[in-house]
Amino acid sequence: MSTQDFLATCLDSVRSKSFYPAYQKAFRIIQADTNALKEVVFRLRYEIYCVDNDMEQTSGASTSAMEKDAFDDNSLHYLLYHKMTDEPVGTVRVVMPRTDRPLSSFPLQFVCDHPLLHMPDRVHRFCEVSRLCMTRDFRRRPGDGRVLPSYNEQDQAVRMNADGTTVFIRRVIPFAPLGLLRAAFEGALDNGLTDCVCVMDPDQLYALQRIGLSYRVLGPRLDIGGQQQPIIFNIKHALDNMILQNPPCWEIVSDRGRLHIKANELDQNQWQDQIFDQQCMDMIFERLTTPPPRA
């Protein structure tokens, strides 16, 4: 069976409990590829990171009420809109590797010393997914995080009227970040990248597990505006696992399999787990056995 046939079979098996139509009616995603749209992104980030959480006051926020930093110029930016209000409610960016300065491509390289992030021949194959966040109106239930709503299986519920129309109840909201994840995946794949690094609030790691997104930990938690966990994941492997563990979420994140096929074609089933291969292990051993410099 070909990859396309396999994905089609899986998709047929989940459509009976699909959340995709409800999601498409509730949200739309656009790329912020103009200065005006980028300003919307930066103002939204200021609201979430600086006003709501006081997390990024020293890293780019200014009197212009925009949160931005030196990595934004080398990033793809996306906005999530709530169709009912036509208001932007979430954003994410994908930081691209730099050919001129590979070892200073991503924010994570400056705070995480995992050797994988400091190998010039590896970095050009990564991107960093960051500034994934939602507005406060989408984070009002118990268990929601500081920048993202929580997710659980009950969130899949929608109510159908007798005439067949859908009433979108509050439970649609925790699914909102899935569209931002879809946008980040597509931005990475369009640039030939399947490996992504990011930092997550530890509480949000449980949400990743619940939606079926597999990842690897890159080291101990970092103190970046609170405790944050550095992780890495491969888009193809993440979607491979998600289609088995949580098909309704896979349907949204993969855009009904379209991005899964794209990841398979790009990866050609040849991706190998190089996070802890021999070269990386040698660097870790050298780091552990080298005495720290004297003060």
Side-chain angles (χ1 to χ4, degrees):
M1 178 182 290
S2 68
T3 300
Q4 287 82 353
D5 291 340
F6 170 73
L7 293 177
T9 300
C10 291
L11 183 55
D12 288 342
S13 71
V14 303
R15 277 184 171 152
S16 61
K17 54 181 179 180
S18 172
F19 197 74
Y20 186 90
Y23 188 90
Q24 293 297 99
K25 290 180 181 179
F27 301 104
R28 64 184 175 94
I29 309 158
I30 64 170
Q31 184 175 352
D33 53 4
T34 67
N35 289 336
L37 287 172
K38 288 178 183 177
E39 182 173 322
V40 175
V41 167
F42 300 147
R43 291 188 182 279
L44 196 65
R45 282 173 18 185
Y46 181 87
E47 173 189 337
I48 297 168
Y49 286 104
C50 303
V51 177
D52 292 350
N53 290 287
D54 194 22
M55 294 168 63
E56 297 289 342
Q57 289 285 7
T58 61
S59 63
S62 68
T63 55
S64 63
M66 293 191 288
E67 194 282 315
K68 52 186 178 179
D69 62 25
F71 298 97
D72 285 315
D73 290 339
N74 197 47
S75 300
L76 304 174
H77 301 272
Y78 298 92
L79 282 164
L80 183 74
Y81 280 81
H82 188 218
K83 288 184 176 180
M84 184 178 297
T85 61
D86 198 32
E87 292 290 332
V89 297
T91 184
V92 66
R93 75 177 178 186
V94 183
V95 188
M96 294 288 111
R98 296 185 62 117
T99 57
D100 56 336
R101 292 186 283 121
L103 297 185
S104 57
S105 294
F106 314 121
L108 188 55
Q109 290 174 304
F110 291 85
V111 292
C112 179
D113 65 355
H114 193 286
L116 189 66
L117 298 170
H118 303 280
M119 298 178 180
D121 61 332
R122 298 285 184 83
V123 172
H124 72 277
R125 301 201 299 255
F126 300 152
C127 61
E128 180 171 342
V129 177
S130 67
R131 296 299 196 267
L132 174 61
C133 57
M134 301 288 301
T135 57
R136 180 169 46 191
D137 287 344
F138 285 72
R139 296 181 282 106
R140 286 183 170 175
R141 295 184 308 149
D144 284 348
R146 293 179 297 170
V147 297
L148 290 172
S150 63
Y151 164 80
N152 59 66
E153 290 179 353
Q154 293 180 350
D155 295 327
Q156 298 181 27
V158 293
R159 188 173 74 244
M160 301 296 295
N161 290 332
D163 60 1
T165 59
T166 303
V167 175
F168 300 106
I169 59 176
R170 186 70 174 83
R171 297 302 188 183
V172 74
I173 288 177
F175 275 79
L178 297 181
L180 291 171
L181 196 58
R182 177 207 300 173
F185 280 15
E186 183 151 22
L189 294 172
D190 283 347
N191 285 273
L193 304 170
T194 58
D195 296 332
C196 306
V197 297
C198 66
V199 292
M200 295 288 293
D201 187 309
D203 292 339
Q204 293 298 328
L205 293 180
Y206 175 74
L208 291 185
Q209 295 169 359
R210 295 296 291 168
I211 69 173
L213 194 151
S214 55
Y215 60 87
R216 298 282 294 272
V217 170
L218 277 178
R221 294 177 182 178
L222 307 170
D223 188 7
I224 314 172
Q227 293 293 301
Q228 300 284 313
Q229 178 67 62
I231 63 173
I232 184 171
F233 59 87
N234 175 269
I235 294 176
K236 169 185 155 39
H237 283 209
L239 293 175
D240 284 348
N241 191 66
M242 192 181 297
I243 195 173
L244 299 174
Q245 298 295 325
N246 198 322
C249 287
W250 168 86
E251 197 178 13
I252 295 172
V253 175
S254 72
D255 196 20
R256 286 196 158 173
R258 180 177 62 87
L259 296 184
H260 202 162
I261 292 172
K262 194 169 188 176
N264 277 319
E265 291 174 347
L266 183 62
D267 220 60
Q268 293 296 302
N269 297 317
Q270 294 177 356
W271 186 80
Q272 297 178 358
D273 185 358
Q274 296 177 330
I275 299 174
F276 297 108
D277 67 0
Q278 191 58 50
Q279 181 183 1
C280 191
M281 293 297 292
D282 289 344
M283 290 187 69
I284 293 174
F285 180 78
E286 181 180 358
R287 187 180 298 276
L288 292 174
T289 56
T290 301
R294 294 183 178 180

